[in-house]
Amino acid sequence: MRATLETLAIATLVGAVQAALRVVGLAGLFALATPLSVAPWTVVTSVYAHGSIGHLLANALALLLVGPLVERRTTRARFHAFVVTTGGLAGIAQVTVGGLVGPPTAVLGLSGAVFALGGYLLAGNVVTATLFDRLRLPPRAQFALFGLAAVALTATTAAPGVALIAHAVGAFCGLLAGRVGLLDVR
């Protein structure tokens, strides 16, 4: 549970810095937005930054549900790298694809990474591995199935202002990583 708590501590610390920056009108300094080259650090900072205390608490609760279960299978370094990588990829997808289909927006939060951790658990367990081995689905079919599962998982969080593309990309990355056991150290 150590890496999960460390992740929450980082998010809380970033939240405190955001609150201080809000006083001087720089609250958006950590938000990921296009063009990405203007503030490349936001690929990382946006993962830990949140729009409100409620946003942070919702992501913290979800992280506390899935984080410790993934931690049991990996190292602290891999866990943190997975959170940053999947959260960053999910955020990049949200601002680039979202900007193509609607007005440009900024993105904040751990939810893309949390969906990746959940996807990892879903695809990387013994039951799922046994099922896939018995079905003998070709890689393309598994890929398509993971895409459908990511969309289904994302649909559960559909609401105005929710980064649905980030959720779907996070879930998809987690499903793929879980299927190949990317984080497993055994």
Side-chain angles (χ1 to χ4, degrees):
M1 185 130 163
R2 185 173 179 183
T4 298
L5 294 177
E6 290 168 348
T7 302
L8 291 176
I10 293 166
T12 302
L13 178 63
V14 169
V17 173
Q18 279 182 282
L21 289 173
R22 191 171 290 117
V23 173
V24 293
L26 296 173
L29 191 62
F30 295 151
L32 179 64
T34 54
L36 300 173
S37 60
V38 170
W41 65 85
T42 61
V43 171
V44 174
T45 60
S46 66
V47 174
Y48 299 103
H50 289 81
S52 67
I53 291 175
H55 184 208
L56 174 60
L57 290 175
N59 281 335
L61 178 60
L63 179 63
L64 286 170
L65 291 172
V66 295
L69 298 172
V70 174
E71 272 190 75
R72 292 179 185 168
R73 304 171 68 166
T74 194
T75 65
R76 283 175 53 217
R78 284 185 183 195
F79 182 90
H80 286 298
F82 189 73
V83 166
V84 169
T85 302
T86 57
L89 287 171
I92 290 168
Q94 180 67 44
V95 298
T96 49
V97 176
L100 295 174
V101 297
T105 60
V107 69
L108 295 167
L110 276 166
S111 58
V114 169
F115 269 80
L117 291 166
Y120 193 91
L121 289 175
L122 186 61
N125 64 66
V126 175
V127 174
T128 303
T130 303
L131 178 64
F132 273 104
D133 291 343
R134 287 196 178 176
L135 292 175
R136 296 189 178 133
L137 294 173
R140 285 185 181 171
Q142 290 181 42
F143 196 79
L145 186 60
F146 288 154
L148 290 171
V151 170
L153 288 169
T154 300
T156 65
T157 60
V162 173
L164 296 177
I165 295 167
H167 290 182
V169 168
F172 186 73
C173 289
L175 289 163
L176 288 177
R179 180 66 178 126
V180 300
L182 181 70
L183 296 176
D184 293 353
V185 292
R186 295 177 194 163

